[in-house]
Amino acid sequence: MTPVHFSFTSAFILGLMGLAFHRTHLLSALLCLEGMMLSLFIALSLWALQMEAIGYSVAPMLLLAFSACEASAGLALLVATARTHGTDRLQSLNLLQC
Amino acid sequence: MNPYVLTILLSSLGLGTILTFASSHWLLAWMGLEINTLAIIPIMAQQSHPRAIEATTKYFLTQATAAAMILFASTTNAWLVGEWEIHQLSHPLATTTVMLALALKLGLAPVHFWLPEVLQGLELTTGLILSTWQKLAPFALMIQVAPTINSSLLIAMGLLSTLVGGWGGLNQTQLRKILAYSSIAHLGWMVLILQYAPSLTLLSLFLYIIMTSSAFLTLKTNNSLTINTLATSWTKSPTLAALTALVLLSLGGLPPLSGFMPKWLILQELTKQGLPLSATLAAMTALLSLYFYLRLCYAMTLTIYPNTLTATAPWRLNFTLITLPLSIITILALGLLPLTPAVTTLLTL
């Protein structure tokens, strides 16, 4: 495992752990998702650089575009949650529990 | 919703799934999944009451996490093995991560908790899309990566799904939650057979989609969300009530109906592969599912609920819904069992 591989893997896993275990605010969940996507961006761009695959240098751009769309959808849902539930705490999302 | 916007959303919903079907590169498959998720979110949140928004938020969080995990696993595979093809996912870490992420996307047993809550917050048509069309793209990926996955993981996941799907539905009175748990149980059966006969998985998925569509369309026609409203639905349309009981028993997998076909073939294949214990456990957990389908049938057709007169005599309004899809798909959900020899020949089992 190269140092680059180790660093982006640990960044992704930290983001995932934050998303899974730090469940207080919706905004922090969205930030964790964005951190995961950025670690993937670094991984893809460094892969293209290291393999000297010119054709793959488009892939990080596509990833960034899609993750921006995803982040905007998440922020729209944040606004919608704040309007309907009055707060962005994940604890208040409890209307549908069994 | 504006019809132009709805058209765009529905066509990109189709585009995302078809992109995932057609792709052989992980990045393209991931893009298809993302387009799919982003397209259904406005459809889910179109009625802006708190429950719909909450369901949409939960769905968004789980699907985004699962998609990121899929891309992470394929990137790891590319770093370690140097291969982006979907078929060539070979590193064990990457295959296990992909399997877990696809399980999260579908709602399989250890990571199924979002599915009943999300389905409960949606209206019935969106719930129909969520529990049929949205399962196709993850399943296309799962069938392609299945040969390299650890088989004990798959069997454990399948058995746990059938158990949880049966167990969770026992205590529910909300019909959408019952259908969500039935979806978990059926997906467990499909995953159980995934490595031994992928064509049986496809057959089982096809029949599950037919039966679930029939159940959702019936509920939509009756406009019923709980057992109680289902119990008074015979006053509106007696024939549909009688057929709905049969559709529910078909979901449970009773012999003369078409829901029996996948269960029969899967049990036979598992026994042939020398896994009698798994087959026995799966058949036993199907009894748990059968219990809550039978309770629905009992409430609908076998008893008259002690309701007041106003509850049993709702307004008779003119039927404006289009019932052709409902009737076709109900016929398919009830009477496909005689096709079993043809199906087994076509699948070359």
Side-chain angles (χ1 to χ4, degrees), chain B residues 105-146:
Chain B
K105 247 189 181 315
L106 286 168
L108 276 170
V111 281
H112 68 279
F113 294 97
W114 61 273
L115 184 62
E117 301 185 8
V118 167
L119 207 58
Q120 177 64 28
L122 303 178
E123 60 169 324
L124 287 166
T125 338
T126 321
L128 172 64
I129 296 176
L130 182 70
S131 53
T132 55
W133 181 252
Q134 295 296 92
K135 308 278 187 208
L136 291 179
F139 248 101
L141 289 179
M142 201 184 262
I143 283 178
Q144 292 182 61
V145 298

Side-chain angles (χ1 to χ4, degrees), chain A residues 1-2 4-5 8-9 12-13 16 19 26 29-30 33 36-37 39-40 42-44 46-47 50-51 56 59 62-63 66-67 69-71 73-74 77 80-81 84-85 90 92-98, chain B residues 25 27 30-32 34-35 38 41 45 48-58 60-61 63-65 67-69 71-73 75-76 78-80 82-84 93 116-118 120-121 172 177 181:
Chain A
M1 187 178 260
T2 58
V4 177
H5 189 191
F8 85 76
T9 307
F12 184 87
I13 288 174
L16 190 62
L19 182 65
L26 182 56
L30 293 178
L33 267 177
M36 285 154 71
M37 296 320 268
S39 76
L40 286 178
I42 292 174
L44 275 174
L46 287 181
W47 189 84
Q50 191 162 337
M51 298 290 162
Y56 275 98
L62 290 172
L63 176 91
F66 270 87
S67 74
C69 292
E70 203 180 74
L77 281 174
T81 315
T84 53
H85 288 71
L90 287 178
S92 67
L93 297 180
N94 58 4
L95 294 174
L96 300 168
Q97 281 171 1
C98 301
Chain B
H25 192 285
L27 191 72
W30 173 79
M31 276 183 206
E34 285 287 316
I35 291 173
L38 290 176
I41 279 176
S48 63
H49 55 69
R51 276 169 288 125
I53 298 296
E54 181 181 331
T56 317
T57 310
K58 284 177 177 172
F60 170 76
L61 284 179
Q63 298 295 309
T65 313
M69 276 176 74
L71 195 61
F72 171 70
T75 316
T76 308
W79 271 87
L80 294 174
E83 195 54 64
W84 278 104
L93 180 69
E117 301 185 8
V118 167
Q120 177 64 28
Q172 301 295 337
K177 274 193 180 169
Y181 281 109

Side-chain angles (χ1 to χ4, degrees), chain B:
Chain B
M1 191 180 271
N2 190 341
Y4 298 116
V5 178
L6 192 63
T7 312
I8 289 176
L9 289 177
L10 286 179
S11 55
S12 43
L13 199 64
L15 175 77
T17 304
I18 289 169
L19 199 60
T20 310
F21 282 167
S23 61
S24 63
H25 192 285
W26 271 112
L27 191 72
L28 213 59
W30 173 79
M31 276 183 206
L33 293 176
E34 285 287 316
I35 291 173
N36 218 346
T37 308
L38 290 176
I40 201 172
I41 279 176
I43 303 179
M44 288 166 89
Q46 59 180 325
Q47 297 171 325
S48 63
H49 55 69
R51 276 169 288 125
I53 298 296
E54 181 181 331
T56 317
T57 310
K58 284 177 177 172
Y59 184 74
F60 170 76
L61 284 179
T62 50
Q63 298 295 309
T65 313
M69 276 176 74
I70 289 173
L71 195 61
F72 171 70
S74 52
T75 316
T76 308
N77 193 57
W79 271 87
L80 294 174
V81 189
E83 195 54 64
W84 278 104
E85 295 273 316
I86 292 180
H87 299 283
Q88 310 217 337
L89 196 72
S90 49
H91 199 266
L93 180 69
T95 52
T96 312
T97 316
V98 160
M99 185 59 210
L100 286 177
L102 287 174
L104 180 60
K105 247 189 181 315
L106 286 168
L108 276 170
V111 281
H112 68 279
F113 294 97
W114 61 273
L115 184 62
E117 301 185 8
V118 167
L119 207 58
Q120 177 64 28
L122 303 178
E123 60 169 324
L124 287 166
T125 338
T126 321
L128 172 64
I129 296 176
L130 182 70
S131 53
T132 55
W133 181 252
Q134 295 296 92
K135 308 278 187 208
L136 291 179
F139 248 101
L141 289 179
M142 201 184 262
I143 283 178
Q144 292 182 61
V145 298
T148 54
I149 297 173
N150 187 0
S151 63
S152 51
L153 174 73
L154 275 182
I155 287 184
M157 224 175 224
L159 283 180
L160 200 63
S161 289
T162 51
L163 183 65
V164 162
W167 215 338
L170 288 184
N171 208 13
Q172 301 295 337
T173 52
Q174 299 282 336
L175 294 176
R176 284 170 292 181
K177 274 193 180 169
I178 288 180
L179 282 176
Y181 281 109
S182 114
S183 150
I184 295 171
H186 279 95
L187 290 178
W189 280 86
M190 293 171 215
V191 169
L192 201 58
I193 201 66
L194 189 57
Q195 269 189 332
Y196 306 106
S199 48
L200 264 185
T201 305
L202 281 182
L203 169 75
S204 179
L205 180 65
F206 180 64
L207 277 173
Y208 160 74
I209 284 176
I210 287 177
M211 291 183 295
T212 307
S213 314
S214 170
F216 266 105
L217 287 175
T218 310
L219 297 188
K220 177 82 184 158
T221 311
N222 283 330
N223 212 357
S224 55
L225 298 176
T226 58
I227 293 185
N228 194 22
T229 46
L230 199 63
T232 54
S233 72
W234 58 270
T235 53
K236 283 188 208 166
S237 51
T239 324
L240 188 60
L243 285 178
T244 308
L246 290 179
V247 167
L248 288 170
L249 291 180
S250 175
L251 268 169
L254 279 191
L257 305 165
S258 56
F260 180 57
M261 172 164 45
K263 289 204 164 54
W264 186 11
L265 294 176
I266 285 173
L267 286 181
Q268 186 195 20
E269 185 67 31
L270 280 179
T271 321
K272 269 189 201 163
Q273 299 282 346
L275 295 164
L277 187 65
S278 303
T280 315
L281 280 175
M284 286 302 198
T285 51
L287 288 179
L288 286 174
S289 302
L290 190 63
Y291 172 74
F292 58 78
Y293 297 127
L294 269 179
R295 198 180 51 187
L296 288 186
C297 292
Y298 181 71
M300 277 190 81
T301 49
L302 301 181
T303 183
I304 294 182
Y305 254 43
N307 275 311
T308 53
L309 195 62
T310 46
T312 49
W315 284 97
R316 302 280 198 291
L317 299 172
N318 244 346
F319 239 42
T320 51
L321 279 173
I322 303 168
T323 48
L324 186 63
L326 172 65
S327 51
I328 289 175
I329 219 153
T330 305
I331 290 168
L332 286 181
L334 294 184
L336 281 188
L337 189 66
L339 288 185
T340 309
V343 166
T344 45
T345 317
L346 281 178
L347 297 180
T348 60
L349 288 171

